[in-house]
Amino acid sequence: MLTVAEENYIKAIYKLAERNEIVTTKDIADRVNTKPSSVSDMLKKLADKKYINYEKYQHISLTKLGEKIALKTIRKHRLWEVFLVEKLGFGWDEIHPIAEELEHINSDELVDRLDNFLGNPEYDPHGDPIPTAAGKINAMKVKKLSEAGSGETVVMTGVADHSAGFLKHLSKLNISLSTKLKIKEVNEFDRSMMISISGEKPHFISYEVAKNLLVTTA
């Protein structure tokens, strides 16, 4: 059985590999908030157990077994997030740390029952796809709002930044999943945008906000 720390490392490697072709020891150390020396020790253990491909000073990747564990852990995390929001009334900015603990409960039957109880959701409250029990992901084709141009109308489908501060900021702007955004103007100097949110009076959002909003064409 995997330890909580081992599951966290495997999930971290999976998440980093989604964004970068090469995953380094420093990347992992930053992700799990520890020292590179501690990461090296853990990577050796995971390699011995056949969860990762790892050689010192080389990039790190998951084996098929490691990828299976990562997807299983992510599935649990995102299902618990749905439960916390839909059934217990938590805000989308409150659920991540709680789901981080719940994702380590090791019961396939519990997860399957939770999935069925929730109606087999495909996406979590942040718009992230929920892996199926077989490890398949139905990911939407999205782009960053910052990549959209003036005159475009898009729908908010997810976030790249899951921090509580960012999610609270979006709530203050009345931006949530399925919100329609019309781009009125893109500032050439700082790439901030004037947008209309759900047809309301336009106002500016920063480039930092725009690059962390994931959208699809309306």
Side-chain angles (χ1 to χ4, degrees):
M1 184 182 293
L2 285 158
T3 65
V4 169
E6 288 171 338
E7 285 188 346
N8 284 337
Y9 270 79
I10 290 170
K11 186 176 73 168
I13 293 168
Y14 181 89
K15 293 286 189 69
L16 287 166
E18 281 186 314
R19 298 183 181 182
N20 310 299
E21 288 186 16
I22 296 175
V23 178
T24 67
T25 301
K26 184 181 183 304
D27 293 331
I28 299 170
D30 291 341
R31 183 89 186 189
V32 300
N33 195 28
T34 192
K35 297 179 294 184
S37 58
S38 299
V39 172
S40 296
D41 291 340
M42 176 61 81
L43 294 179
K44 290 174 187 174
K45 292 179 183 177
L46 293 175
D48 289 342
K49 294 182 178 182
K50 310 300 183 186
Y51 292 118
I52 66 170
N53 301 304
Y54 169 67
E55 289 184 24
K56 200 169 185 181
Y57 306 120
Q58 301 295 320
H59 76 272
I60 302 130
S61 63
L62 294 176
T63 62
K64 290 291 184 183
L65 179 58
E67 185 174 333
K68 183 179 179 180
I69 295 298
L71 288 168
K72 184 177 178 180
T73 305
I74 290 167
R75 170 176 163 78
K76 288 187 286 184
H77 183 104
R78 293 176 180 174
L79 283 171
W80 281 120
E81 288 196 331
V82 175
F83 177 78
L84 290 167
V85 169
E86 293 190 358
K87 305 302 179 182
L88 297 186
F90 282 88
W92 69 338
D93 58 293
E94 301 174 298
I95 55 179
H96 183 72
I98 305 171
E100 285 279 293
E101 296 183 33
L102 292 170
E103 72 185 29
H104 299 295
I105 297 174
N106 190 29
S107 171
D108 290 340
E109 183 178 357
L110 172 62
V111 176
D112 290 341
R113 289 194 182 195
L114 178 64
D115 190 20
N116 290 330
F117 175 68
L118 295 170
N120 310 114
E122 292 187 44
Y123 299 93
D124 74 8
H126 303 125
D128 294 318
I130 300 172
T132 66
K136 294 183 179 179
I137 295 182
N138 183 29
M140 285 185 285
K141 188 174 182 180
V142 300
K143 64 182 179 182
K144 297 176 182 178
L145 179 61
S146 57
E147 297 169 344
S150 181
E152 279 192 62
T153 298
V154 296
V155 175
M156 201 280 256
T157 57
V159 290
D161 182 347
H162 290 68
S163 68
F166 181 66
L167 296 172
K168 286 178 181 177
H169 182 63
L170 293 185
S171 295
K172 289 179 181 177
L173 294 172
N174 292 321
I175 297 175
S176 58
L177 296 185
S178 300
T179 297
K180 190 172 287 188
L181 308 171
K182 183 173 179 60
I183 302 162
K184 299 289 189 179
E185 180 185 337
V186 179
N187 189 315
E188 291 184 11
F189 174 68
D190 62 4
R191 299 169 72 185
S192 61
M193 291 181 166
M194 178 178 279
I195 63 170
S196 174
I197 302 168
S198 299
E200 297 296 322
K201 182 180 177 181
H203 64 272
F204 276 102
I205 61 169
S206 69
Y207 172 72
E208 191 66 24
V209 170
K211 77 174 185 179
N212 281 295
L213 283 177
L214 304 178
V215 299
T216 57
T217 301

